[in-house]
Amino acid sequence: MIPHQIQIPIQPLVPYPIQISRLPFHRTTPKPSNFRLSPPKSQPTHQTKTQDDGVPADDVKIIAKFRSRYNYIRVLEVSRKVDHPFAGARLLLLDGPGNIHSISYLFRSLTNTYFDVFATLPPILPPGPIGILGFGAGSAARLILDLYPEAVIHGWELDPSVIKVAREFFALGKLEKSYPDRLFVYVGNALKASLKDGFSGILVDLFSKGSLLSELEDPNTWEKLRQCLRKGGRIMVNVGGSCVEAEDSRRDGKVVMEATLKAMHKVFGKKLYVLSLGNRKDDSSIALTGELPDLDDWKRALPRSLKFYVDMWVPYSG
């Protein structure tokens, strides 16, 4: 951490095209990094910024800040003029350390974060609705609705204040009006989510106080979720990693990630794959259940900007 900076680590990963998947310059392995507020600098610099660099405090506007029953909610807006991958972004922070739970840009749909990996799931699912457990401000839902005209999403979020913030500052209300028959948002315990005929796919993005929910380290949780799937359905999970900073220092991101993957492996066995985002294997990861589909077919069904993720999946090795 750079002295005199407030470090705000990105929630389980923020891919950025140069390194993690933010700018559309060139694609190398995405790399999670930290968002920092730094004091204004007295000397200008011409060095290209990365997500590991600080953003001058003068270039970040706090547009909402309060505590709800469940979260420490802040909404930040980064100036479009700043030389930084987050330029022009609106960010939702929900815990003490400041992990980012949602991100949006005014003039583009793709976030160049792990939400874009989530958006690769629909083409490999059977027909049917998709569940999002841990809806946040709707970053994943917006992408999927924009990219796939037939997609129907049911999202669960525990904190009603998060949904209110999403409607006011992240245009969720407009999204709901635009897709009244394709987007359904519920306030409640996501681990109790269910639909009569099941889900074709489930996206899991469940964090509390800067850490994956402890329930995700229990194989019984994954068995229950598996039973919520239709035949051929899949689950894609943000399992975090070392880049995640918890309020409780005992909840080490890497250790929690490994425990979660082991719990999933007990239920899904060899039908479990992992996509690592970062230069180090344990930086941040996404998990996928089910047999890996034909990669060429999967790529053909995706926009060009998302195709490269397909080749990043590897079997879970323990």
Side-chain angles (χ1 to χ4, degrees):
M1 181 181 296
I2 300 175
H4 309 299
Q5 292 189 339
I6 302 172
Q7 186 175 7
I8 305 181
I10 281 228
Q11 186 187 236
L13 120 67
V14 224
Y16 176 50
I18 297 192
Q19 317 224 63
I20 129 173
S21 101
R22 253 181 228 304
L23 300 177
F25 298 148
H26 54 81
R27 302 187 189 97
T28 61
T29 304
K31 169 184 176 294
S33 61
N34 298 318
F35 177 66
R36 300 176 176 132
L37 296 180
S38 63
K41 296 181 178 180
S42 58
Q43 296 295 329
T45 176
H46 301 290
Q47 185 176 0
T48 300
K49 294 292 196 304
T50 71
Q51 288 182 353
D52 291 327
D53 294 310
V55 177
D58 291 345
D59 291 310
V60 179
K61 180 180 180 181
I62 300 176
I63 56 180
K65 178 181 178 181
F66 65 96
R67 291 188 181 274
S68 70
R69 178 180 176 184
Y70 301 101
N71 295 294
Y72 176 29
I73 297 175
R74 283 95 78 215
V75 179
L76 306 183
E77 193 167 78
V78 182
S79 170
R80 282 182 286 166
K81 297 179 180 180
V82 69
D83 177 20
H84 193 276
F86 287 128
R90 185 166 285 188
L91 311 171
L92 175 66
L93 316 182
L94 293 181
D95 49 52
N99 295 293
I100 295 176
H101 290 255
S102 288
I103 182 170
S104 68
Y105 291 88
L106 185 61
F107 297 110
R108 68 175 191 257
S109 295
L110 291 177
T111 65
N112 294 318
T113 71
Y114 70 94
F115 296 115
D116 295 358
V117 183
F118 278 178
T120 67
L121 181 62
I124 58 173
L125 298 177
I130 299 170
I132 298 181
L133 311 187
F135 189 80
S139 297
R142 181 181 306 278
L143 268 173
I144 291 171
L145 291 169
D146 286 348
L147 292 174
Y148 307 103
E150 303 302 320
V152 175
I153 291 176
H154 293 256
W156 276 262
E157 172 58 49
L158 181 64
D159 192 344
S161 295
V162 169
I163 297 302
K164 290 179 181 178
V165 164
R167 287 173 175 149
E168 182 173 357
F169 299 111
F170 291 85
L172 175 58
K174 182 179 179 180
L175 196 68
E176 291 172 306
K177 290 179 181 178
S178 298
Y179 303 109
D181 301 319
R182 296 176 56 204
L183 177 60
F184 305 90
V185 180
Y186 312 94
V187 173
N189 185 346
L191 292 178
K192 294 182 179 180
S194 65
L195 290 180
K196 181 180 178 181
D197 296 319
F199 299 98
S200 66
I202 299 174
L203 294 169
V204 179
D205 195 12
L206 293 172
F207 289 76
S208 177
K209 298 182 179 180
S211 177
L212 276 169
L213 294 189
S214 58
E215 290 91 334
L216 300 182
E217 299 172 56
D218 182 353
N220 292 324
T221 297
W222 296 108
E223 179 58 35
K224 291 176 182 177
L225 290 177
R226 187 188 66 80
Q227 293 175 5
C228 292
L229 293 173
R230 296 185 177 187
K231 183 178 180 180
R234 301 171 182 272
I235 303 175
M236 188 178 283
V237 189
N238 178 2
V239 293
S242 59
C243 70
V244 183
E245 183 179 350
E247 293 181 3
D248 184 347
S249 60
R250 295 170 296 181
R251 297 284 292 170
D252 178 78
K254 177 183 176 181
V255 173
V256 172
M257 176 189 73
E258 291 174 345
T260 300
L261 288 170
K262 288 180 181 178
M264 294 183 70
H265 185 252
K266 289 182 179 180
V267 175
F268 299 102
K270 294 182 179 180
K271 297 181 179 180
L272 179 63
Y273 294 82
V274 178
L275 184 156
S276 296
L277 293 147
N279 294 330
R280 298 177 304 171
K281 182 179 179 181
D282 61 350
D283 272 344
S284 183
S285 298
I286 308 295
L288 174 68
T289 69
E291 294 283 1
L292 203 62
D294 181 277
L295 300 187
D296 291 332
D297 288 345
W298 192 0
K299 288 179 184 178
R300 280 191 286 268
L302 293 173
R304 178 183 298 179
S305 55
L306 298 180
K307 293 180 187 293
F308 73 103
Y309 287 116
V310 171
D311 294 319
M312 295 172 65
W313 294 101
V314 297
Y316 172 68
S317 62

